[in-house]
Amino acid sequence: MKTPLSIEIYSSVSELPQNWDDFAVGNIFLSKEYLEILEKSAPINMFCHFIGLFKKGKLAGIALSQFLDLNKLESFGERDKCVKNAVRNTFLKNFCSHILIIGNNMLTGQNAFAFSDKTDEVQVLEALKNASEKLKTLFKKNGLKVHITTFKDFPIEETTRFPEAGFQDYFQFSTQPNMLFNIPIQWKSEQDYIDALTKKYRDQYKRARKKAEGVEKRKMELEDIIKYEETIYDLYFHVAKNAHFNTFFLTKNHFRIFKELLKDKFLFYGYFLDEKLIGFNTIIKNGAVMDTYFLGYDDSIQREKMLYLNMLYDMVAYSINKGFKEIIFARTALEIKSSIGAKPQEMYGFAKHSNPIADLAFEKVFCYLEPKVEWKERNPYK
């Protein structure tokens, strides 16, 4: 019988084992420099812990956990003001407000853990399940009862080992897909992308670019981000609060801290009209993959200038020009992302309610809280 992995739970990056980053080579979102961003500027309703997995005293894997206290949010999202939302929000506050996540709720994709090739994945999942129990005890000592424990986000092929690791009593769920943009190896410039589009979508591209005339795009450095911090936050918050549903809001200093710590791996682009900042987007270099991050815009100008669509085209152009293999466009705005060439990848998670009675109804309740988004997939290519 294999010896179970032992676990250590850390609350600060300064406590992490020296060789932690050896396991984060393939994913910047598990690296010390990124985890330090979370430590310094996580949302006010989020508590992060870092988990070391050990085999015979040696580090064999690393993981991230986040605890969300939804009671600290002023709003879950304001787009759909209706009775259904009032019922949902009341239910959330009373029965689902404390959520323990093994993974990263601020990103889409498997950013939960990484481990050595010599380590068995089932053992990793068993150890993380044990870590979640330890974390629940830790929060309970601080007067916070975990309502829901969840492991997220996994493509279907990565879900097969969970039953072997004792997750039979967890509810397997799927939410909105992750929108992935694959960049063919033969594409060397934005023109190669344009040439691959059908006439309808080439016309969409030309129309968007024409609408954006007069808008100046600028790469913003740390001093620029600091200078425009108030406006940046207002633009971000406008977009965030109009989302269907939120579990956190970024802190005002988040982008500044990101730039300070990730430097050239974090790119911040501002969009200006008559010298006024009207929008921004952010992207993160993660090896051969480009991850899109948060953005913001003035909605009245966004519509007139087709700003959001132009941001998507700009991210595609940059990624092609710099030789990236894939862009992770994450969730939300599925149809417009599909119209530029992104394809959906279904993502799955596992969740369990701490109350056995509530857990019986959890699947039905979850489907009510997170209804399937109706959208039409597009194919812009010839």
Side-chain angles (χ1 to χ4, degrees):
M1 189 176 176
K2 291 178 180 177
T3 307
L5 299 175
S6 59
I7 54 177
E8 288 288 339
I9 295 172
Y10 309 98
S11 56
S12 173
V13 172
S14 62
E15 302 169 0
L16 299 181
Q18 195 172 350
N19 62 333
W20 179 279
D21 277 350
D22 292 350
F23 296 84
V25 172
N27 189 350
I28 196 172
F29 300 116
L30 289 169
S31 68
K32 286 183 181 180
E33 56 187 355
Y34 172 76
L35 299 181
E36 191 176 342
I37 293 168
L38 292 182
E39 189 177 340
K40 290 184 173 179
S41 70
I44 57 166
N45 70 323
M46 179 184 286
F47 304 92
C48 297
H49 287 92
F50 319 121
I51 304 162
L53 309 176
F54 292 85
K55 190 175 186 178
K56 296 178 181 176
K58 289 186 177 182
L59 190 65
I62 59 176
L64 168 67
S65 79
Q66 295 176 337
F67 173 87
L68 290 172
D69 185 352
L70 300 188
N71 290 322
K72 290 189 175 182
L73 286 183
E74 289 179 22
S75 163
F76 293 121
E78 297 179 1
R79 181 183 289 180
D80 302 323
K81 290 184 178 176
C82 60
V83 174
K84 179 180 173 182
N85 268 21
V87 171
R88 180 186 70 177
N89 294 352
T90 301
F91 182 88
L92 279 167
K93 282 188 177 291
N94 291 307
F95 299 102
C96 304
S97 59
H98 294 162
I99 305 169
L100 176 63
I101 299 160
I102 304 298
N104 193 326
N105 198 49
M106 302 170 75
L107 301 162
T108 304
Q110 202 291 78
N111 299 296
F113 56 79
F115 53 92
S116 73
D117 294 340
K118 295 175 183 176
T119 306
D120 180 62
E121 187 175 356
V122 172
Q123 283 195 301
V124 168
L125 294 172
E126 287 170 346
L128 290 176
K129 196 161 178 275
N130 291 337
S132 72
E133 294 302 321
K134 279 196 173 184
L135 284 162
K136 283 160 77 171
T137 303
L138 189 148
F139 283 111
K140 194 173 182 180
K141 285 178 181 175
N142 292 319
L144 293 167
K145 182 182 178 181
V146 172
H147 295 131
I148 296 166
T149 304
T150 182
F151 289 65
K152 67 174 285 284
D153 287 315
F154 305 95
I156 190 67
E157 63 271 15
E158 292 183 29
T159 62
T160 56
R161 309 306 295 275
F162 278 82
E164 294 177 57
F167 283 78
Q168 295 92 332
D169 55 346
Y170 277 65
F171 159 51
Q172 183 175 327
F173 64 90
S174 67
T175 52
Q176 290 187 42
N178 191 6
M179 298 301 288
L180 305 179
F181 187 100
N182 180 58
I183 300 173
I185 197 164
Q186 67 269 23
W187 287 2
K188 304 300 179 188
S189 69
E190 183 182 15
Q191 191 59 49
D192 291 326
Y193 164 68
I194 297 166
D195 292 343
L197 299 173
T198 63
K199 183 181 183 303
K200 175 183 175 181
Y201 289 98
R202 268 202 316 278
D203 289 346
Q204 173 182 283
Y205 174 90
K206 289 173 186 173
R207 186 167 64 254
R209 291 312 203 191
K210 188 166 181 61
K211 285 273 190 179
E213 286 177 3
V215 176
E216 181 193 355
K217 177 187 167 190
R218 295 181 199 165
K219 184 179 179 182
M220 294 173 69
E221 302 300 339
L222 178 60
E223 58 270 24
D224 304 311
I225 296 168
I226 293 169
K227 177 183 175 182
Y228 287 97
E229 195 160 79
E230 291 289 334
T231 306
I232 287 167
Y233 192 77
D234 288 345
L235 293 170
Y236 152 74
F237 193 71
H238 168 77
V239 173
K241 74 181 174 66
N242 283 294
H244 286 293
F245 185 58
N246 284 303
T247 53
F248 65 87
F249 290 102
L250 298 179
T251 54
K252 199 167 283 187
N253 71 348
H254 187 73
F255 299 111
R256 172 202 299 221
I257 299 294
F258 227 115
K259 191 65 178 173
E260 282 176 357
L261 293 173
L262 278 195
K263 300 182 172 61
D264 290 340
K265 293 175 190 170
F266 176 68
L267 300 175
F268 192 108
Y269 288 98
Y271 290 76
F272 291 80
L273 185 64
D274 300 325
E275 292 302 311
K276 180 188 175 186
L277 182 64
I278 58 165
F280 73 90
N281 68 48
T282 54
I283 48 179
I284 302 159
K285 298 175 183 178
N286 189 8
V289 175
M290 182 66 81
D291 272 82
T292 63
Y293 200 51
F294 291 95
L295 54 76
Y297 49 71
D298 180 321
D299 198 46
S300 60
I301 301 171
Q302 193 285 124
R303 292 170 188 274
E304 179 194 340
K305 296 291 185 179
M306 296 176 76
L307 195 57
Y308 181 69
L309 185 54
N310 276 293
M311 287 180 181
L312 296 179
Y313 286 135
D314 286 343
M315 289 186 267
V316 167
Y318 180 89
S319 301
I320 294 170
N321 291 337
K322 296 297 182 182
F324 286 85
K325 293 179 180 177
E326 186 179 56
I327 309 169
I328 296 179
F329 276 118
R331 299 191 170 102
T332 71
L334 305 178
E335 198 157 325
I336 192 169
K337 288 172 181 174
S338 177
S339 80
I340 66 155
K343 297 289 183 186
Q345 179 190 45
E346 290 297 329
M347 303 301 290
Y348 297 87
F350 295 83
K352 183 176 173 58
H353 202 287
S354 59
N355 182 312
I357 296 168
D359 193 52
L360 292 171
F362 189 40
E363 185 170 345
K364 287 180 181 176
V365 170
F366 184 88
C367 294
Y368 175 77
L369 296 174
E370 279 285 339
K372 278 281 184 185
V373 175
E374 294 296 325
W375 66 287
K376 187 175 181 181
E377 187 174 350
R378 308 289 180 178
N379 179 22
Y381 298 124
K382 292 174 184 173

